[in-house]
Amino acid sequence: MGKCLVLFGDQSAVFVAKTSRGSCSSTSTSTASLLFTMPPPKSKGGKMLGLINWRLKVTINDGRAFIGQMLAFDRHMNLVLADCEEFRRVRPKKKPGETEAGPEQEMKRSLGLVILRGETVVSLSVEGPPPVQDDDKKNALPAGPGRGMPAGRGMGMVPPGRYYILP
């Protein structure tokens, strides 16, 4: 059974239940100015959550740009980028006697795993989609060191179907 929202002239709202025939019913005698079905609730962090594993370009407030795969974020917009590269524009210094400095150069530096403070983030843009994973690699278990055993205290585990009675 879905929900309908009825808005009245003074913009107050009343929730009413849908009947089995699909129409909305209300016990209110007031006339409704708008009647529509409520959309499903949206997930928290929808846009950002959809960008996990995507390759992003993040510009921060000092002009530097970072390009990397976004692994995580939080409510403060702190970002974790993997395989990150830093790009910054550098103006060469003027030599004495010259009127102009040379053209700006873009410096590139490979950083690896980076955590960016959300306070410094100015803009985000998508550089590329997440990397493609083969179906074989998704379902395969990683190789482990051996057989897992429970770590108990005192008495060992009892095999299934056997019961020990303690005196």
Side-chain angles (χ1 to χ4, degrees), residues 52-73:
I52 295 286
N53 291 331
W54 283 67
R55 195 141 180 87
L56 299 180
K57 179 179 183 179
V58 181
T59 306
I60 61 174
N61 56 7
D62 66 358
R64 289 183 290 171
F66 296 89
I67 297 178
Q69 183 180 1
M70 185 172 76
L71 298 182
F73 68 96

Side-chain angles (χ1 to χ4, degrees), residues 17-54:
K18 261 190 184 179
T19 63
S20 60
R21 288 176 270 148
S23 62
C24 293
S25 64
S26 173
T27 57
S28 176
T29 57
S30 187
T31 58
S33 60
L34 181 60
L35 181 68
F36 64 96
T37 304
M38 293 291 294
K42 294 185 178 181
S43 64
K44 286 191 168 197
K47 281 264 194 218
M48 290 296 288
L49 209 52
L51 293 175
I52 295 286
N53 291 331
W54 283 67

